[in-house]
Amino acid sequence: MATKAIILPFLSIICLFGCNITPNKESKMEKKIVIAHRGASGYLPEHTLEAKAMAHAMNADFIEQDVVLSKDDVPIVIHDIYLDDVTDVASKFSERKRKDNRYYVIDFTFNELQTLKVTERFNPKTGQQVYKNRFPKWKASFRLHSLQEEIELIQGLNASTGKNIGIYPEIKAPEFHQKEGKKISEIVLKILSDYGYHSKKDNCILQCFDAKELQRIRKELKSELFLMQLIEFPEETKHLDFFATYADGIGPWYTQILDKKVEGRWQFTDLVAEAHQLGLKVHPYTFRADALGEFTSFEKMVHTLLIDAEVDGVFTDFPDLVLKFLEKQNHEF
């Protein structure tokens, strides 16, 4: 199949899902929100502009950007500080790996990074595609891009479609960047400000796993953006009082909300209730229709967390499916 037949142009993708959408005037943080995790990554390779255009066409409330710095301080949208599990860097720059046999974004200039081909995520040791039924590995042509380029795409699509879809950047591995002499938080905040994202009223949520760094962003760097503290480990859920001193919400792994089943129904931990008592929004990650974990169906997964557990929004690789679920819920009520 020709690559032109595989990838629709941005405009075709947009029109496929509906161009004439009236902007939602309701405050997004007052309703259940859908965050396109790395874009519409269930359908197109993660963190490509094509995946972001598709997520915009699907009407996700926010589109996520993971941000890592290049050697010349350009913020690159990619999930990890590594290149070798989503690009062909190993074949193009075989001599540039570090002692741990990994290839780091920070070791390449922006111009060098743009020469790499991006593909569906795979295991660099085995070459096996992580999600085997997603977009075929090494098919079509995808490239890395900067945070600025993605913001301009999303803002441009907002202008041309009349929508108001937000951005949800994550500052990746700030301690690693600092050890490399890079001020990633300052660089990202400057770019966000340059593009009109200054405060909680703006359509931007900034997230980070590093609590120390997110607190520094609020207190030392004096950011007034909506800040989300990501949570990876169970012991971190005990620090909600501390998180509430600088953050506006938390992003836990969804399993941290689940407790046990009683007569076939999930019971929940106190995480969501305690967060809400502190005024924190809760956006768990990651909802995947092809990785259901403890659930028998994607709809059951979404209903359990979004409705029964009363979380405020979800990160998902399949934003269209969550939006269809919410539309169905609205019709039922």
Side-chain angles (χ1 to χ4, degrees), residues 17 34 42-43 58 287-290 292 298-299 302 306 314 316-328:
F17 290 92
V34 178
Y43 305 98
M58 289 173 169
F287 288 48
R288 296 183 171 104
D290 51 1
L292 295 173
F298 189 63
E299 184 171 346
V302 176
L306 203 54
V314 298
T316 179
D317 294 3
F318 300 86
D320 59 325
L321 299 185
V322 179
L323 287 162
K324 286 178 183 177
F325 169 83
L326 288 173
E327 183 178 2
K328 180 181 177 181

XYZ file of all heavy atoms in Angstrom, residues 17 34 42-43 58 287-290 292 298-299 302 306 314 316-328:
237
model
N -13.642 13.475 11.048
C -14.306 13.444 12.356
C -15.237 14.626 12.578
O -15.829 14.774 13.618
C -13.253 13.386 13.480
C -12.555 12.074 13.533
C -11.379 11.878 12.832
C -13.082 11.025 14.251
C -10.735 10.655 12.868
C -12.451 9.804 14.297
C -11.276 9.616 13.594
N -11.060 14.581 28.683
C -10.380 13.506 27.969
C -9.047 14.042 27.464
O -9.001 15.005 26.704
C -11.232 12.992 26.798
C -10.487 11.900 26.030
C -12.573 12.471 27.310
N -3.298 5.351 19.925
C -3.813 4.021 19.642
C -3.934 3.757 18.156
O -4.104 2.602 17.738
N -3.838 4.834 17.357
C -4.067 4.722 15.925
C -2.869 5.120 15.064
O -2.718 4.637 13.936
C -5.263 5.593 15.530
C -6.514 5.274 16.304
C -6.893 6.043 17.412
C -7.316 4.186 15.963
C -8.042 5.745 18.129
C -8.465 3.883 16.683
C -8.820 4.668 17.764
O -9.955 4.366 18.485
N -10.636 14.351 16.793
C -11.520 13.551 17.639
C -12.161 14.367 18.763
O -13.012 13.875 19.484
C -10.739 12.380 18.246
C -10.365 11.311 17.248
S -9.274 10.055 18.006
C -9.304 8.807 16.716
N -5.433 4.793 29.882
C -6.549 3.947 29.486
C -6.326 3.477 28.053
O -6.353 4.275 27.121
C -7.868 4.723 29.594
C -8.314 4.983 31.010
C -7.431 5.489 31.968
C -9.621 4.722 31.399
C -7.843 5.732 33.273
C -10.046 4.961 32.705
C -9.153 5.461 33.641
N -6.104 2.164 27.905
C -5.802 1.593 26.592
C -6.798 0.473 26.276
O -6.936 -0.477 27.050
C -4.382 1.035 26.555
C -3.290 2.094 26.747
C -1.906 1.469 26.628
N -0.863 2.490 26.600
C -0.064 2.801 27.625
N -0.209 2.168 28.790
N 0.854 3.734 27.495
N -7.422 0.563 25.136
C -8.403 -0.449 24.732
C -7.744 -1.779 24.412
O -8.411 -2.820 24.398
C -9.199 0.046 23.518
N -6.428 -1.754 24.140
C -5.710 -2.986 23.826
C -4.790 -3.429 24.958
O -3.904 -4.250 24.757
C -4.915 -2.833 22.525
C -4.040 -1.585 22.504
O -4.019 -0.838 23.510
O -3.373 -1.352 21.479
N -6.130 -3.985 28.728
C -7.223 -3.776 29.688
C -6.867 -4.113 31.130
O -7.593 -3.745 32.040
C -8.445 -4.594 29.258
C -9.084 -4.173 27.926
C -10.166 -5.166 27.534
C -9.651 -2.764 28.014
N -13.139 -2.272 27.542
C -12.706 -0.883 27.687
C -13.814 -0.036 28.298
O -13.565 0.828 29.138
C -12.293 -0.321 26.326
C -11.626 1.027 26.402
C -10.414 1.187 27.061
C -12.215 2.145 25.825
C -9.788 2.434 27.135
C -11.604 3.384 25.894
C -10.393 3.527 26.550
N -15.050 -0.289 27.877
C -16.175 0.462 28.433
C -16.289 0.238 29.937
O -16.554 1.174 30.699
C -17.482 0.070 27.739
C -18.674 0.892 28.215
C -19.924 0.682 27.386
O -19.821 0.103 26.288
O -21.004 1.119 27.823
N -13.517 2.292 31.658
C -13.827 3.718 31.709
C -14.938 4.000 32.711
O -14.857 4.944 33.505
C -14.209 4.234 30.301
C -14.622 5.702 30.364
C -13.044 4.060 29.329
N -14.027 6.449 35.667
C -14.531 7.793 35.385
C -15.863 8.079 36.079
O -16.101 9.200 36.529
C -14.684 7.971 33.874
C -14.670 9.395 33.311
C -13.434 10.167 33.753
C -14.734 9.361 31.781
N -9.275 11.515 32.241
C -8.407 10.357 32.016
C -7.434 10.614 30.871
O -7.737 11.321 29.914
C -9.228 9.086 31.694
C -10.134 8.727 32.855
C -10.044 9.245 30.410
N -5.763 8.797 27.805
C -6.100 7.635 27.008
C -5.451 7.674 25.635
O -5.307 8.739 25.024
C -7.630 7.497 26.839
O -7.915 6.352 26.021
C -8.238 8.740 26.216
N -5.052 6.483 25.139
C -4.534 6.350 23.774
C -5.673 6.361 22.764
O -5.433 6.488 21.560
C -3.773 5.021 23.624
C -2.508 4.963 24.471
O -2.232 5.920 25.213
O -1.794 3.943 24.382
N -6.903 6.220 23.259
C -8.077 6.121 22.400
C -9.112 7.186 22.798
O -10.181 6.857 23.335
C -8.691 4.723 22.509
C -7.760 3.614 22.093
C -6.864 3.058 23.006
C -7.766 3.124 20.803
C -5.997 2.038 22.634
C -6.900 2.103 20.419
C -6.012 1.569 21.326
N -8.821 8.459 22.557
C -9.733 9.518 23.002
C -11.125 9.416 22.403
O -12.107 9.773 23.053
C -9.024 10.808 22.551
C -8.024 10.384 21.530
C -7.624 9.003 21.892
N -11.236 8.920 21.179
C -12.552 8.812 20.545
C -13.456 7.850 21.304
O -14.657 8.100 21.451
C -12.414 8.376 19.085
C -11.703 7.035 18.936
O -10.781 6.735 19.724
O -12.054 6.280 17.998
N -12.887 6.761 21.821
C -13.698 5.776 22.532
C -14.193 6.310 23.872
O -15.332 6.049 24.271
C -12.893 4.489 22.746
C -12.411 3.770 21.481
C -11.728 2.457 21.844
C -13.560 3.531 20.507
N -13.361 7.076 24.567
C -13.801 7.665 25.841
C -14.857 8.739 25.583
O -15.848 8.844 26.314
C -12.609 8.250 26.616
C -13.094 8.879 27.925
C -11.572 7.179 26.918
N -14.671 9.523 24.546
C -15.654 10.549 24.206
C -16.999 9.934 23.815
O -18.061 10.451 24.189
C -15.127 11.424 23.071
C -14.007 12.387 23.489
C -13.242 12.886 22.273
C -14.573 13.558 24.286
N -16.977 8.820 23.090
C -18.217 8.124 22.745
C -18.903 7.599 23.992
O -20.139 7.649 24.118
C -17.919 6.974 21.780
C -17.591 7.413 20.362
C -17.260 6.221 19.484
C -16.862 6.670 18.077
N -16.462 5.512 17.220
N -18.109 7.112 24.947
C -18.662 6.635 26.212
C -19.355 7.781 26.946
O -20.482 7.625 27.439
C -17.560 6.040 27.078
C -17.982 5.767 28.496
C -18.645 4.598 28.823
C -17.735 6.699 29.501
C -19.053 4.354 30.138
C -18.140 6.463 30.800
C -18.803 5.295 31.127
N -18.693 8.925 27.030
C -19.275 10.070 27.735
C -20.529 10.589 27.036
O -21.500 10.991 27.695
C -18.234 11.188 27.851
C -17.101 10.930 28.842
C -16.044 12.020 28.736
C -17.630 10.842 30.267
N -20.514 10.562 25.724
C -21.706 10.987 24.973
C -22.874 10.064 25.266
O -24.008 10.516 25.452
C -21.383 10.993 23.469
C -22.547 11.497 22.614
C -22.189 11.532 21.134
O -21.070 11.129 20.776
O -23.056 11.935 20.339
N -22.596 8.784 25.345
C -23.639 7.812 25.673
C -24.174 8.043 27.076
O -25.381 7.991 27.322
C -23.068 6.396 25.544
C -24.066 5.287 25.874
C -23.393 3.926 25.747
C -24.360 2.806 26.135
N -23.705 1.463 26.049
